[in-house]
């Protein structure tokens, strides 16, 4: 089967700092890929390159048989098919919860207002936030915000969801509710790439784990193998540090 | 509390509308109109010498020997001299008002004319008493009968005695305020009109200007688009530098005396305030846009919204809300700064006050009163804006279906 995303020898530098040094990766329909690695290893940069928030220097990214690294590509149409969930939620402060979910479907997909409301409420319900539909996002807790952010991404009916440390900014007692939502999405077959420090999530929910180190994918395996039997020394060191 | 705020805003709006209406249809609202010119003549003769005399008779002020004909008779508080001859024409005078006594004694005074100083025979019209401070103007009619040989004619002059301004400072200030209230109101309306309209127009122009400023050439653009973007962005930068770097009084003189823009001082003044405010608000908005967290843009772009859509639906609403206090402040500043437009002859509040101060030759009271009026305006507007801000604290705008 064709992968949804195929990355070939992707490189990205910020001035002299080469952050991605040749990434090769494939993600298939229905996969949940966890990306782990120490701080500064380029995990966020990789996600942002996939979503074209950063423009890579060389290499190729294919998304559903279209080459994203092509200059002529219509960025907006492709981004619309990839949902992104940020560490800092980034809910639109000028809109209420439901409107956060309606804006892009209406403006990008041209969905009618009625359909946007219906779809918005449906997705808010799926993340358990329907009761907050008319609230100001500023008044929500971190966990609630992140669930709204997930609902907002779902409203675009994306082919794939990208998560960049979705629980890192949360108080410990709120991590669970967000992971629970993500788990449900995974069970429904949503394709996801999740940058995370939550090893339990990586272990239990994901279908595959990659360990990034200094701008390359150092190790790639199914969760069971990578956690119980890592091949690389640096993976071992990282897991030891983070699990202790 | 809520109602009072609303009322205040409505009142402000109402005054401004009235002002606009008054500018478009002059004279519709009596409080804004000055009295008609009160100089009139009656002609029953066809003799050219008499007609010429009627045309040219001059009444002189005892205060400074200036001619009082035309509008000055209408603001009379000093005595006057009435000529007894004009060439071969002889004149007699009558007045219908008890406050004025026409002296029998003939005096000779020297007045200047186009042909040099001339000595003429006059009688003095002495003002015995002026109407008291808060009474209205006291009208009078001066009738001249002109004799030339067998023929005679008459000329009628109407005028008004104005009340005296009381001596003390406070009394004078009260007098100035109440007596010239309608003139002050006229000035306030013009000032509010200029500053409010200027701020609103400036706001919309600033939105365009700041958009231009934020244009960034990207690798995907064609060569032409890239140059256009750089050009427009530079234009925006230069505009801000020029208009913030030069005094508004100079801009006003430049556009009015220099270019005679619009052929109408008021419109030209509005233009000057607007383009000046544009520069300041553009900088405010730029700050407001920069203060919006970059995560907002990223989230919006990641949902597939274009740069323009992101600007319009996500960044701008937040930037404008962040900028509101500073933009309101710009309005308050404009209330004060439009006073410089007096130099192009607009009778906004300050210029109106200069006129009033000149009427009684009492500067202190007039400028004291106008200082209080300015203070009242800026304070009230500041409070209203604060109230409005609180109300707008949670602006969830309507989403419309169309793009
Ligand atoms: N916009 C940028 N400009 C310059 N350098 C950047 C930029 N974004 C990231 N970097 C650099 O790239 C490197 C990798 O950053 P990245 O955010 O991808 O790491 P990460 O693996 O996500 O780390 P973390 O776990 O801390 O989020 C870092 O050294 C960072 O300083
Ligand atoms: Mg990161």
């Amino acid at each position: 089967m064709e992968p949804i995303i195929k990355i070939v020898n992707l490189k990205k530098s910020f001035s002299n700092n080469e952050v991605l040094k040749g990434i090769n990766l494939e993600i298939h329909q229905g996969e949940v890929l966890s990306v782990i690695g120490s701080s500064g290893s380029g995990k966020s940069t990789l996600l942002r390159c996939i979503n074209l928030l950063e423009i890579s220097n060389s290499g190729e990214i294919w998304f559903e048989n279209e080459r994203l690294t092509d200059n002529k590509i219509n960025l907006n149409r492709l981004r619309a098919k990839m949902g992104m969930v940020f560490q800092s939620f980034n809910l639109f402060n000028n809109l209420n919860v439901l409107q956060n979910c309606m804006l892009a479907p209406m403006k990008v997909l041209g969905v009618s207002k009625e359909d946007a409301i219906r779809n918005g409420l449906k997705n808010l319900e799926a993340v358990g936030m329907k009761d907050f539909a008319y609230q100001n996002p500023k008044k929500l807790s971190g966990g609630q915000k992140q669930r709204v952010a997930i609902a907002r991404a779902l409203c675009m009916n994306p082919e794939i969801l990208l998560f960049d440390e979705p629980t890192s900014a949360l108080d410990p007692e709120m991590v669970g509710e967000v992971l629970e939502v993500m788990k449900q999405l995974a069970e429904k077959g949503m394709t996801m790439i999740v940058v995370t420090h939550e090893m339990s999530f990586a272990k239990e929910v994901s279908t595959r784990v990659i360990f990034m180190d200094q701008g390359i994918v150092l190790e790639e395996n199914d969760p069971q193998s990578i956690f119980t039997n890592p091949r690389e020394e640096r993976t071992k060191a990282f897991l030891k540090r983070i699990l202790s | 509390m809520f109602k009072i705020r609303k009322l205040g805003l409505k009142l402000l709006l109402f005054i401004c509308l009235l002002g606009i209406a008054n500018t478009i249809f002059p004279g519709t609202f009596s409080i804004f109109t000055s009295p008609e010119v009160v100089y009139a003549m009656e002609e029953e003769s066809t003799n050219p010498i008499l007609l010429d005399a009627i045309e040219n008779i001059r009444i002189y002020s005892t205060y400074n020997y200036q001619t009082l004909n035309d509008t000055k008779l209408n603001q009379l508080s000093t005595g006057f001299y009435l000529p007894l001859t004009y060439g071969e024409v002889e004149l007699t005078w009558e007045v219908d008002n008890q406050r004025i006594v026409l002296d029998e004694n003939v005096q000779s005074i020297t007045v200047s004319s186009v042909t040099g100083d001339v000595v003429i025979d006059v009688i003095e019209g002495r003002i015995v008493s002026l109407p008291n401070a808060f009474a209205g103007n006291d009208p009078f009619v001066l009738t001249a009968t002109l004799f030339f040989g067998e023929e005679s004619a008459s000329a009628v002059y109407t005028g008004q005695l104005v009340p005296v301004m009381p001596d003390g400072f406070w009394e004078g200030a009260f007098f100035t305020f109440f007596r010239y209230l309608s003139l002050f109101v006229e000035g306030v309306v013009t000032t509010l009109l200029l500053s409010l309209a200027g701020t609103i127009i400036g706001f919309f122009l600033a939105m365009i200007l700041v958009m231009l400023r934020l244009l960034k050439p990207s690798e995907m653009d064609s060569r032409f688009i890239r140059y256009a973007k750089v050009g427009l962005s530079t234009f925006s930068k230069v505009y801000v530098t020029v208009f913030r770097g030069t005094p508004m009084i100079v801009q006003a003189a430049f556009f009015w005396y220099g270019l005679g823009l619009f052929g109408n001082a008021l419109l030209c003044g509005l233009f000057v305030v607007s383009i000046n405010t544009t520069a300041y608000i553009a900088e405010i908005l730029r700050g407001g846009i920069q203060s919006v967290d970059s995560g907002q843009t990223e989230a919006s772009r990641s949902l597939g919204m274009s740069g323009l859509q992101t600007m319009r639906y996500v960044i701008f609403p937040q930037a404008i809300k962040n900028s509101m206090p500073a933009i309101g402040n710009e309005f308050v500043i404009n209330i004060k700064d439009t006073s410089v437009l007096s130099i192009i002859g607009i009778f906004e509040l300050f210029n109106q006050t200069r006129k009033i101060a000149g009427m009684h030759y009492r500067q202190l009271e007039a400028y004291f009163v106008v200082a209080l009026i300015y203070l009242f305006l800026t304070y009230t507007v500041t409070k209203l804006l604060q109230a409005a801000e609180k109300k707008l604290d949670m602006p969830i705008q309507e989403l419309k279906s169309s793009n």
Side-chain angles (χ1 to χ4, degrees), chain A residues 66-84:
Chain A
E66 289 192 80
R67 202 169 68 175
L68 299 187
T69 34
D70 200 331
N71 262 347
K72 301 264 164 5
I73 211 91
N74 182 341
L75 296 180
N76 299 330
R77 185 172 55 79
L78 288 162
R79 281 202 189 111
K81 298 187 192 176
M82 293 188 266
M84 178 119 177

Side-chain angles (χ1 to χ4, degrees), chain A residues 43-45 87 164-165 195:
Chain A
K43 307 182 296 293
S44 299
T45 307
Q87 182 175 346
D164 190 0
E165 304 193 25
V195 173

Side-chain angles (χ1 to χ4, degrees), chain B residues 54-68:
Chain B
I54 289 173
E55 280 281 305
N56 290 303
I57 296 167
R58 292 282 174 269
I59 299 169
Y60 299 95
S61 162
T62 55
Y63 173 70
N64 56 9
Y65 288 41
Q66 277 180 359
T67 34
L68 289 176

Side-chain angles (χ1 to χ4, degrees), chain A residues 90-153:
Chain A
N90 297 343
L91 295 181
F92 303 136
N93 295 321
N94 55 320
L95 302 174
N96 72 20
V97 166
L98 180 57
Q99 287 170 334
N100 259 276
C101 298
M102 292 160 60
L103 183 64
M106 282 165 64
K107 303 303 172 191
V108 179
L109 305 179
V111 169
S112 75
K113 189 171 179 177
E114 292 69 32
D115 288 347
I117 291 175
R118 199 173 313 122
N119 196 33
L121 289 174
K122 189 191 82 189
N123 283 309
L124 284 173
E125 186 165 27
V127 300
M129 289 299 292
K130 193 182 175 189
D131 293 343
F132 297 84
Y134 299 96
Q135 288 260 6
N136 183 334
K138 276 184 216 157
K139 296 188 177 143
L140 304 180
S141 74
Q144 292 172 327
K145 280 182 189 165
Q146 198 58 298
R147 286 188 279 149
V148 172
I150 294 172
R152 176 175 72 180

Side-chain angles (χ1 to χ4, degrees), chain A residues 14 17 19 37-46 54 164-165 197:
Chain A
F14 295 105
N17 179 12
V19 177
S38 52
S39 184
S41 56
K43 307 182 296 293
S44 299
T45 307
L46 174 60
E54 301 286 358
D164 190 0
E165 304 193 25
H197 289 299

Side-chain angles (χ1 to χ4, degrees), chain B residues 363-381:
Chain B
Q363 314 281 331
L364 183 63
E365 288 83 352
Y367 291 117
F368 175 72
V369 167
V370 81
L372 288 185
I373 295 177
Y374 271 117
L375 195 59
F376 170 78
L377 287 180
T378 52
Y379 183 80
T380 317
V381 168

